[in-house]
């Protein structure tokens, strides 16, 4: 029996990772460790919350004492660390929260794992840190991010993630903590908080609100369906080499404007609107400060080493995503109204 901590399991990507592990590994105990910030929503996991191999612990990774206590009260075999402040725009208005959670919080977890595991000389243990392609900076029209690309983060968010990546590698080099890092491109899919481009625009198209395109809409992102990211995390956690870094990407570059036009086209059809109606909602707004121009990931190392590649093409993935948001009106309404924050209280306090 293995006991794993997945941090940030109530968030967007974390909830898909928790679901995959709980369903695929009935012999593992999966502890979802999450502070339930505005981005954490236990309703994302309502389908697995009663599984015997699943447990939720509400804890803040910036609280070293609380994290150490969890490690001393449980025999933890592995950590998959996703908890983070994740939205670039919020990092521009409130950088300190990103420093606290993404850097200090990561160090607290590293310390807790190092101290708990040194007695067994780290035998059979694994600390897997989930990071982003944004640490590599911004690309021009050509080229890709490789695992060897020098770090050049340009927003408080990416600088805090770069810092945490460096610390994770420093703990391997200095203390021998068995760590792995992966850096992934933009994820999309069900359960993403509607501050991020795709769910925000799906909801705005549905409710006929303006679609705020930053700058000219010519920035480029490489999009990956979230379940494909979760599959990569499963593979890397189990079969990745300690000390290695793996890039994960979608091989799927889109300018923001082309993506938005595609989304409008799909939604016009699904909502039985006249073709071209939703694109009239597009509104060009002031650009994001320091807006990275282009991200593009080369994931050939992961493909060659572990055989991973994306399973869905973008049109299929977008349709599936649009269908999910249109069929889960309650999820979106609860998130927008703030009602979702009561889910924890309802599920865990009043029963
Ligand atoms: P998210 O914002 O949807 O979820 C973050 C989760 O972490 C939430 O459940 C939140 O409650 C929890 N959390 C935040 N601060 C915490 C704290 N101090 N203590 C404990 N829990 C805390 O994020 P996401 O988009 O799912 O991203 C997850 C991870 O993947 C992050 O590390 C992010 O940097 C990385 N990543 C995201 C993307 C993407 O496109 N979203 C791409 C590559 C990498
Ligand atoms: O590349 C991986 C990163 O992708 C992750 O590490 C981050 O956690 C995740 O938030 C995401 O960062 P982005 O900044 O690329 O994602 P976002 O959805 O915020 O924006 C995508 C693009 O759309 C970006 O170029 C900014 C633009 N945009 C975004 C919003 C919210 C708009 O034009 N208008 C908007 O309202």
């Amino acid at each position: 029996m293995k006991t794993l901590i997945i941090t940030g399991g109530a968030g967007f990507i974390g909830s898909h990772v928790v679901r995959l592990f709980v369903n695929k590994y009935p012999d593992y105990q999966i502890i979802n460790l999450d502070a339930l910030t505005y981005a954490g929503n236990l309703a994302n996991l309502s389908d697995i919350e009663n599984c015997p191999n699943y447990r939720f612990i509400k804890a803040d990774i910036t609280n070293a004492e609380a994290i150490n206590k969890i490690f001393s009260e449980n025999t933890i075999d592995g950590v998959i660390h996703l908890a983070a402040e994740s939205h670039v725009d919020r990092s521009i208005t409130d950088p300190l929260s990103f420093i606290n959670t993404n850097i200090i919080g990561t160090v607290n977890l590293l310390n807790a794992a190092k101290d708990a595991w040194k007695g067994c000389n780290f035998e059979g243990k694994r600390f897997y840190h989930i990071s982003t392609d944004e640490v590599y900076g911004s690309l021009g029209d050509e080229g890709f991010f490789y695992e060897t690309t020098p770090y050049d983060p340009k927003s408080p968010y990416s600088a805090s993630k770069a810092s945490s990546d460096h610390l994770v590698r420093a703990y391997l080099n200095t203390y021998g903590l068995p760590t792995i890092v992966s850096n992934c491109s933009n994820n999309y899919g069900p359960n993403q908080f509607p501050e991020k481009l795709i769910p925000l625009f799906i909801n705005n198209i549905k409710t006929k609100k303006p679609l705020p395109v930053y700058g000219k809409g010519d920035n480029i992102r490489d999009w990956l369906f979230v379940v494909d990211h979760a599959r990569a995390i499963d593979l890397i956690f189990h079969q990745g080499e300690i000390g290695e870094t793996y890039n994960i990407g979608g091989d799927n570059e889109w300018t923001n404007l082309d993506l938005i036009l595609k989304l409008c086209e799909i939604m016009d059809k699904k909502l039985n609107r006249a073709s071209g109606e939703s694109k009239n909602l597009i509104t060009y707004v002031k650009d994001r400060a320091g807006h990275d121009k282009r991200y593009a990931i080369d994931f050939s190392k992961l493909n060659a080493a572990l055989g991973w590649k994306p399973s869905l093409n973008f049109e299929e993935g977008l349709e599936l995503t649009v269908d999910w948001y249109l069929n889960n009106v309650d999820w979106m309404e609860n998130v927008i109204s703030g009602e979702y924050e009561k889910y924890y209280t309802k599920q865990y306090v009043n029963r």
Side-chain angles (χ1 to χ4, degrees), residues 186-206:
N186 285 62
N187 284 213
Y188 71 98
N191 307 100
Q192 188 168 29
F193 196 84
E195 62 186 353
K196 308 279 166 54
L197 181 75
I198 290 183
L200 175 72
F201 277 41
I202 290 176
N203 193 48
N204 284 13
I205 293 170
K206 190 182 150 224

Side-chain angles (χ1 to χ4, degrees), residues 8-14 33-41 59-62 81-86 101 130-132 157 161 184-187 192 196 229:
F12 166 48
I13 302 170
L33 187 168
D34 198 296
L36 298 183
T37 67
Y38 80 92
N41 183 354
D60 188 330
I61 58 170
T62 65
H81 175 36
L82 296 106
E85 288 293 341
S86 69
T101 287
I130 307 302
S131 192
T132 169
Y157 163 66
K161 291 294 291 187
C184 188
S185 63
N186 285 62
N187 284 213
Q192 188 168 29
K196 308 279 166 54
H229 188 187

Side-chain angles (χ1 to χ4, degrees), residues 1-302:
M1 167 87 71
K2 274 196 175 163
T3 301
L4 307 184
I5 286 180
I6 299 180
T7 71
F12 166 48
I13 302 170
S15 61
H16 289 276
V17 176
V18 167
R19 175 176 300 101
L20 177 71
F21 273 68
V22 165
N23 287 332
K24 188 168 171 187
Y25 302 107
D27 290 347
Y28 290 7
Q29 275 297 326
I30 303 299
I31 298 178
N32 171 13
L33 187 168
D34 198 296
L36 298 183
T37 67
Y38 80 92
N41 183 354
L42 285 175
N44 292 347
L45 291 167
S46 54
D47 55 327
I48 57 110
E49 68 188 3
N50 293 321
C51 290
N53 62 335
Y54 170 73
R55 193 174 141 211
F56 172 67
I57 299 182
K58 186 174 192 292
D60 188 330
I61 58 170
T62 65
N63 181 343
E65 210 179 310
I67 300 307
N68 291 337
K69 189 159 178 274
I70 293 166
F71 275 80
S72 66
E73 286 175 354
N74 300 276
T75 304
I76 305 298
D77 300 298
V79 175
I80 304 180
H81 175 36
L82 296 106
E85 288 293 341
S86 69
H87 191 40
V88 175
D89 292 328
R90 287 181 192 254
S91 82
I92 295 168
T93 49
D94 176 21
L96 202 53
S97 303
F98 287 68
I99 307 308
N100 284 333
T101 287
N102 299 359
I103 306 178
I104 310 285
T106 299
V107 173
N108 286 338
L109 279 168
L110 288 165
N111 281 336
K114 169 174 77 63
D115 294 345
W117 293 347
K118 65 180 175 225
C120 67
N121 218 12
F122 306 125
E123 203 48 54
K125 309 292 187 188
R126 199 159 260 236
F127 188 109
Y128 178 14
H129 177 64
I130 307 302
S131 192
T132 169
D133 60 357
E134 300 199 12
V135 297
Y136 298 121
S138 177
L139 290 165
D141 293 340
E142 304 280 311
F144 294 93
F145 294 137
Y146 300 92
E147 288 82 357
T148 49
T149 302
Y151 274 28
D152 186 19
K154 292 180 180 301
S155 73
Y157 163 66
S158 54
S160 69
K161 291 294 291 187
S163 177
S164 64
D165 295 9
H166 287 317
L167 283 156
V168 169
R169 295 189 181 107
Y171 271 62
L172 168 69
N173 182 63
T174 309
Y175 307 107
L177 189 75
T179 62
I180 307 188
V181 177
S182 60
N183 297 80
C184 188
S185 63
N186 285 62
N187 284 213
Y188 71 98
N191 307 100
Q192 188 168 29
F193 196 84
E195 62 186 353
K196 308 279 166 54
L197 181 75
I198 290 183
L200 175 72
F201 277 41
I202 290 176
N203 193 48
N204 284 13
I205 293 170
K206 190 182 150 224
T207 53
K208 299 194 177 178
K209 288 215 260 220
L211 305 176
V213 177
Y214 297 164
K216 294 192 199 129
D218 56 357
N219 301 68
I220 294 173
R221 297 291 183 265
D222 169 14
W223 293 93
L224 177 69
F225 191 63
V226 63
V227 176
D228 278 333
H229 188 187
R231 281 197 307 111
I233 289 173
D234 174 23
L235 262 184
I236 293 169
F237 181 74
H238 288 99
Q239 294 172 43
E241 292 267 342
I242 297 296
E244 288 297 327
T245 294
Y246 298 92
N247 277 354
I248 310 170
D251 195 13
N252 179 39
E253 290 182 55
W254 287 72
T255 66
N256 291 340
L257 192 57
D258 285 345
L259 187 163
I260 292 158
L261 290 171
K262 174 56 71 185
L263 206 51
C264 289
E265 184 191 310
I266 293 175
M267 290 201 58
D268 279 343
K269 280 198 201 121
K270 303 244 176 225
L271 297 169
N272 295 319
R273 288 183 186 163
S275 164
E277 187 180 327
S278 297
K279 72 178 183 202
N280 292 327
L281 297 167
I282 290 175
T283 312
Y284 292 92
V285 299
K286 189 167 175 281
D287 208 354
R288 172 184 279 173
H291 198 171
D292 287 340
K293 185 71 208 275
R294 173 172 169 258
Y295 307 143
I297 275 272
D298 178 294
F299 61 85
S300 52
K301 174 175 168 180
L302 177 60

